[in-house]
Amino acid sequence: MIPLTVNGQARQVDAEPDKPLLWVLREDLNVVGPKFGCGIAVCGACTVHVEGQPVRSCSIAVGDVAGKSVITIEGLAGGESTLHAVQRAWIENQVPQCGYCQPGFIMAAAALLKGKPRPSDQDIDDALNNICRCGTYSAIRRAVHRAAAILGGAL
Ligand code: FES
Ligand code: FES
């Protein structure tokens, strides 16, 4: 059994230690916000936070996160009736098209803003190097700036 904390809940997983975290989340724990896109750490659709850092969960073994805290899009807001500032900004800017890639972008954006409260466009492009086949990149940039403003105290 491998212990880990997922969205604040202590879990025990009966899985091989080399099983990718993404598949443990989706198959073993029914946490399906993180998406499978490429499986090789390129697209970012599977991004979660491990100990507060953005991680591509398709490419990290569950054994490497034993005893650690994992946050997925389901746990980002910290409560069912609230939204994270990034989620609010995403809705205001109507970012998603098909939506498939969006949990990964949102998790990457939330991590960026923790370290850089006022990111430049270049910071955003560097940190959010995920792939969106619907081409929502410019809306994402606008939404990250809006999320930064919300976190800075704007309504
Ligand atoms: S599925 Fe993990 S980076 Fe693409
Ligand atoms: S919104 Fe469709 S892939 Fe990004």
Side-chain angles (χ1 to χ4, degrees):
M1 289 295 220
I2 298 171
L4 65 165
T5 303
V6 178
N7 296 329
Q9 287 194 318
R11 309 296 295 260
Q12 297 279 340
V13 181
D14 184 9
E16 294 297 324
D18 62 352
K19 185 170 182 175
L21 174 61
L22 174 63
W23 296 116
V24 168
L25 291 168
R26 293 184 59 85
E27 293 180 344
D28 299 311
L29 299 176
N30 198 30
V31 176
V32 295
K35 298 292 187 279
F36 173 73
C38 65
I40 52 171
V42 171
C43 75
C46 63
T47 302
V48 301
H49 296 175
V50 174
E51 298 292 325
Q53 297 301 312
V55 166
R56 296 193 168 180
S57 63
C58 68
S59 299
I60 186 167
V62 67
D64 290 337
V65 300
K68 296 186 177 172
S69 169
V70 177
I71 302 290
T72 70
I73 186 82
E74 288 91 341
L76 181 65
E80 283 190 10
S81 56
T82 54
L83 289 176
H84 188 280
V86 173
Q87 292 168 309
R88 268 183 61 192
W90 245 243
I91 292 168
E92 284 179 23
N93 284 274
Q94 301 187 356
V95 175
Q97 297 278 321
C98 79
Y100 193 84
C101 68
Q102 299 293 320
F105 273 101
I106 289 171
M107 296 307 286
L112 167 66
L113 290 168
K114 262 198 274 178
K116 274 204 169 97
R118 304 296 287 182
S120 66
D121 282 347
Q122 190 61 55
D123 293 332
I124 295 168
D125 291 349
D126 290 346
L128 277 64
N129 59 355
N130 302 24
I131 294 172
C132 172
R133 295 192 67 179
C134 298
T136 61
Y137 302 106
S138 56
I140 283 171
R141 245 184 255 128
R142 277 198 308 278
V144 174
H145 288 302
R146 172 65 182 138
I150 293 170
L151 288 167
L155 291 178

